Amino acid sequence: MTPNVLSRIFTIEIGDRPTLTFEAQNQREAQELCHEQWLKDDLAEAKSDGAPLWDGKATLRARMAAPDESAVFAEAKNSGQSSDELMLVYLVELDGSETDEQPIDPGAFPPGRDSEAEGEEMSAPGPAWTPEDEGLLRRWGRLAKSAAAIADLLKRSPHAVRKRAHVLNITLARSLPGPKTKWK
């Protein structure tokens, strides 16, 4: 996202639960994010208290962020590295499996803060994507490999692979339905 003084902070609610904040130019742009398949996949895979953030049925709705939600976003943005990529700041605590994820862009998610900040997630980024990793991701994407298969090969989570593929504009094959392998 290109920095712009006219950007506003929005919150995506899942059902009626405020879940994440981000910047957008207007309400329409914010609502469009709710329809992005990569975000739906990430929300269905991410868990809080052992339950998926999104069950695939609850309504995803973007609205203007409340003042406290905007403050969480601003603090996270100010503590991270500047980036032209979309920055998502979770307002819920994510289960530990998410802490090994690679953000959309290095520095897109700020490092964790002290535990006094309730109700938000600040993931520590996973290992940096090297040019070699990105080359393998491109090659395996052309070979119609799924995010899960590529994650196994790169020793990363499927979530991190999908996000990086999105940043690099790489189309991945869909994973077959069935039990998901746990990333180690």
Side-chain angles (χ1 to χ4, degrees):
M1 169 178 279
T2 305
N4 185 329
V5 293
L6 300 177
S7 292
R8 297 181 184 152
I9 309 304
F10 290 87
T11 295
I12 289 182
E13 290 182 343
I14 300 176
D16 291 325
R17 183 181 185 192
T19 305
L20 61 91
T21 60
F22 61 99
E23 280 183 302
Q25 298 298 315
N26 53 49
Q27 181 69 40
R28 191 182 96 218
E29 181 179 285
Q31 192 60 39
E32 286 174 4
L33 183 61
C34 295
H35 301 288
E36 290 289 336
Q37 191 60 48
W38 65 267
L39 179 65
K40 290 178 177 180
D41 291 344
D42 290 351
L43 292 172
E45 188 174 298
K47 293 185 179 187
S48 180
D49 293 328
L53 291 180
W54 185 54
D55 62 5
K57 299 174 186 168
T59 301
L60 299 179
R61 181 176 75 91
R63 61 162 172 79
M64 290 293 297
D68 60 325
E69 296 164 347
S70 292
V72 168
F73 181 87
E75 187 174 337
K77 185 175 182 176
N78 291 337
S79 66
Q81 299 173 3
S82 64
S83 172
D84 287 341
E85 296 297 325
L86 175 65
M87 181 172 146
L88 303 175
V89 178
Y90 284 87
L91 299 169
V92 296
E93 186 71 34
L94 295 181
D95 291 350
S97 65
E98 295 297 314
T99 60
D100 56 16
E101 302 282 331
Q102 173 67 21
I104 293 174
D105 185 57
F109 288 97
R113 296 183 306 189
D114 57 22
S115 59
E116 292 179 40
E118 289 185 26
E120 65 183 280
E121 179 275 335
M122 294 286 136
S123 296
W129 285 85
T130 64
E132 293 80 19
D133 290 341
E134 290 177 349
L136 291 171
L137 179 58
R138 281 186 180 92
R139 182 177 321 134
W140 290 327
R142 283 192 303 269
L143 294 174
K145 298 241 183 228
S146 69
I150 295 171
D152 286 340
L153 295 166
L154 291 176
K155 305 293 186 231
R156 293 179 184 268
S157 69
H159 177 78
V161 169
R162 277 193 303 276
K163 281 189 172 186
R164 197 61 182 181
H166 177 75
V167 168
L168 298 173
N169 221 8
I170 299 169
T171 303
L172 302 176
R174 300 294 297 165
S175 297
L176 295 175
K180 294 183 178 182
T181 58
K182 183 160 183 157
W183 185 78
K184 295 180 181 183

